[in-house]
PDB file of all heavy atoms in Angstrom:
ATOM      1  N   ASP A 194       1.984  44.675  21.836  1.00 96.00           N
ATOM      2  CA  ASP A 194       3.346  44.236  22.149  1.00 96.00           C
ATOM      3  C   ASP A 194       3.543  42.746  21.898  1.00 96.00           C
ATOM      4  O   ASP A 194       4.663  42.300  21.645  1.00 96.00           O
ATOM      5  CB  ASP A 194       3.682  44.562  23.614  1.00 96.00           C
ATOM      6  CG  ASP A 194       3.952  46.037  23.842  1.00 96.00           C
ATOM      7  OD1 ASP A 194       4.235  46.739  22.854  1.00 96.00           O
ATOM      8  OD2 ASP A 194       3.877  46.480  25.011  1.00 96.00           O
ATOM      9  N   GLU A 195       2.464  41.976  21.980  1.00 95.00           N
ATOM     10  CA  GLU A 195       2.552  40.521  21.829  1.00 95.00           C
ATOM     11  C   GLU A 195       1.852  39.998  20.581  1.00 95.00           C
ATOM     12  O   GLU A 195       1.950  38.812  20.259  1.00 95.00           O
ATOM     13  CB  GLU A 195       1.934  39.829  23.063  1.00 95.00           C
ATOM     14  CG  GLU A 195       2.546  40.240  24.396  1.00 95.00           C
ATOM     15  CD  GLU A 195       3.978  39.773  24.533  1.00 95.00           C
ATOM     16  OE1 GLU A 195       4.336  38.753  23.898  1.00 95.00           O
ATOM     17  OE2 GLU A 195       4.743  40.415  25.289  1.00 95.00           O
ATOM     18  N   ALA A 196       1.140  40.869  19.869  1.00 96.00           N
ATOM     19  CA  ALA A 196       0.260  40.417  18.779  1.00 96.00           C
ATOM     20  C   ALA A 196       1.047  39.859  17.598  1.00 96.00           C
ATOM     21  O   ALA A 196       2.101  40.375  17.221  1.00 96.00           O
ATOM     22  CB  ALA A 196      -0.629  41.561  18.311  1.00 96.00           C
ATOM     23  N   THR A 197       0.518  38.813  17.003  1.00 92.00           N
ATOM     24  CA  THR A 197       1.076  38.175  15.812  1.00 92.00           C
ATOM     25  C   THR A 197       0.242  38.563  14.594  1.00 92.00           C
ATOM     26  O   THR A 197      -0.868  39.105  14.735  1.00 92.00           O
ATOM     27  CB  THR A 197       1.044  36.650  15.966  1.00 92.00           C
ATOM     28  OG1 THR A 197      -0.336  36.223  15.998  1.00 92.00           O
ATOM     29  CG2 THR A 197       1.750  36.202  17.251  1.00 92.00           C
ATOM     30  N   PRO A 198       0.729  38.294  13.374  1.00 92.00           N
ATOM     31  CA  PRO A 198      -0.111  38.535  12.188  1.00 92.00           C
ATOM     32  C   PRO A 198      -1.469  37.845  12.282  1.00 92.00           C
ATOM     33  O   PRO A 198      -2.487  38.414  11.864  1.00 92.00           O
ATOM     34  CB  PRO A 198       0.740  37.980  11.051  1.00 92.00           C
ATOM     35  CG  PRO A 198       2.148  38.134  11.532  1.00 92.00           C
ATOM     36  CD  PRO A 198       2.095  37.863  12.997  1.00 92.00           C
ATOM     37  N   LYS A 199      -1.501  36.651  12.845  1.00 91.00           N
ATOM     38  CA  LYS A 199      -2.763  35.929  13.004  1.00 91.00           C
ATOM     39  C   LYS A 199      -3.717  36.704  13.899  1.00 91.00           C
ATOM     40  O   LYS A 199      -4.924  36.746  13.654  1.00 91.00           O
ATOM     41  CB  LYS A 199      -2.500  34.541  13.592  1.00 91.00           C
ATOM     42  CG  LYS A 199      -3.744  33.709  13.832  1.00 91.00           C
ATOM     43  CD  LYS A 199      -3.392  32.364  14.432  1.00 91.00           C
ATOM     44  CE  LYS A 199      -4.641  31.544  14.746  1.00 91.00           C
ATOM     45  NZ  LYS A 199      -4.299  30.231  15.359  1.00 91.00           N
ATOM     46  N   ASP A 200      -3.186  37.326  14.959  1.00 95.00           N
ATOM     47  CA  ASP A 200      -4.031  38.114  15.863  1.00 95.00           C
ATOM     48  C   ASP A 200      -4.650  39.305  15.136  1.00 95.00           C
ATOM     49  O   ASP A 200      -5.836  39.614  15.322  1.00 95.00           O
ATOM     50  CB  ASP A 200      -3.212  38.608  17.059  1.00 95.00           C
ATOM     51  CG  ASP A 200      -2.713  37.468  17.938  1.00 95.00           C
ATOM     52  OD1 ASP A 200      -3.432  36.463  18.056  1.00 95.00           O
ATOM     53  OD2 ASP A 200      -1.599  37.594  18.489  1.00 95.00           O
ATOM     54  N   TYR A 201      -3.851  40.001  14.324  1.00 97.00           N
ATOM     55  CA  TYR A 201      -4.385  41.125  13.554  1.00 97.00           C
ATOM     56  C   TYR A 201      -5.416  40.638  12.544  1.00 97.00           C
ATOM     57  O   TYR A 201      -6.457  41.260  12.340  1.00 97.00           O
ATOM     58  CB  TYR A 201      -3.256  41.862  12.839  1.00 97.00           C
ATOM     59  CG  TYR A 201      -2.476  42.808  13.726  1.00 97.00           C
ATOM     60  CD1 TYR A 201      -1.243  42.436  14.262  1.00 97.00           C
ATOM     61  CD2 TYR A 201      -2.966  44.078  14.021  1.00 97.00           C
ATOM     62  CE1 TYR A 201      -0.519  43.309  15.080  1.00 97.00           C
ATOM     63  CE2 TYR A 201      -2.256  44.949  14.828  1.00 97.00           C
ATOM     64  CZ  TYR A 201      -1.031  44.560  15.353  1.00 97.00           C
ATOM     65  OH  TYR A 201      -0.335  45.420  16.162  1.00 97.00           O
ATOM     66  N   ALA A 202      -5.118  39.523  11.884  1.00 96.00           N
ATOM     67  CA  ALA A 202      -6.021  39.002  10.856  1.00 96.00           C
ATOM     68  C   ALA A 202      -7.360  38.563  11.432  1.00 96.00           C
ATOM     69  O   ALA A 202      -8.354  38.494  10.704  1.00 96.00           O
ATOM     70  CB  ALA A 202      -5.358  37.835  10.128  1.00 96.00           C
ATOM     71  N   ALA A 203      -7.402  38.290  12.738  1.00 96.00           N
ATOM     72  CA  ALA A 203      -8.656  37.884  13.369  1.00 96.00           C
ATOM     73  C   ALA A 203      -9.713  38.983  13.294  1.00 96.00           C
ATOM     74  O   ALA A 203     -10.914  38.713  13.428  1.00 96.00           O
ATOM     75  CB  ALA A 203      -8.409  37.486  14.823  1.00 96.00           C
ATOM     76  N   PHE A 204      -9.291  40.238  13.066  1.00 98.00           N
ATOM     77  CA  PHE A 204     -10.243  41.342  12.927  1.00 98.00           C
ATOM     78  C   PHE A 204     -10.863  41.402  11.527  1.00 98.00           C
ATOM     79  O   PHE A 204     -11.859  42.120  11.326  1.00 98.00           O
ATOM     80  CB  PHE A 204      -9.548  42.680  13.214  1.00 98.00           C
ATOM     81  CG  PHE A 204      -9.282  42.941  14.668  1.00 98.00           C
ATOM     82  CD1 PHE A 204      -7.998  42.848  15.183  1.00 98.00           C
ATOM     83  CD2 PHE A 204     -10.315  43.287  15.523  1.00 98.00           C
ATOM     84  CE1 PHE A 204      -7.741  43.094  16.522  1.00 98.00           C
ATOM     85  CE2 PHE A 204     -10.075  43.537  16.866  1.00 98.00           C
ATOM     86  CZ  PHE A 204      -8.788  43.437  17.371  1.00 98.00           C
ATOM     87  N   ALA A 205     -10.305  40.695  10.561  1.00 98.00           N
ATOM     88  CA  ALA A 205     -10.755  40.827   9.178  1.00 98.00           C
ATOM     89  C   ALA A 205     -12.240  40.507   8.990  1.00 98.00           C
ATOM     90  O   ALA A 205     -12.945  41.266   8.300  1.00 98.00           O
ATOM     91  CB  ALA A 205      -9.892  39.971   8.254  1.00 98.00           C
ATOM     92  N   PRO A 206     -12.773  39.412   9.549  1.00 97.00           N
ATOM     93  CA  PRO A 206     -14.207  39.157   9.354  1.00 97.00           C
ATOM     94  C   PRO A 206     -15.083  40.294   9.873  1.00 97.00           C
ATOM     95  O   PRO A 206     -16.092  40.644   9.248  1.00 97.00           O
ATOM     96  CB  PRO A 206     -14.437  37.860  10.149  1.00 97.00           C
ATOM     97  CG  PRO A 206     -13.097  37.185  10.171  1.00 97.00           C
ATOM     98  CD  PRO A 206     -12.109  38.299  10.272  1.00 97.00           C
TER      99      PRO A 206
END
Side-chain angles (χ1 to χ4, degrees):
D194 285 341
E195 304 293 333
T197 66
K199 179 181 177 181
D200 295 326
Y201 281 100
F204 285 106

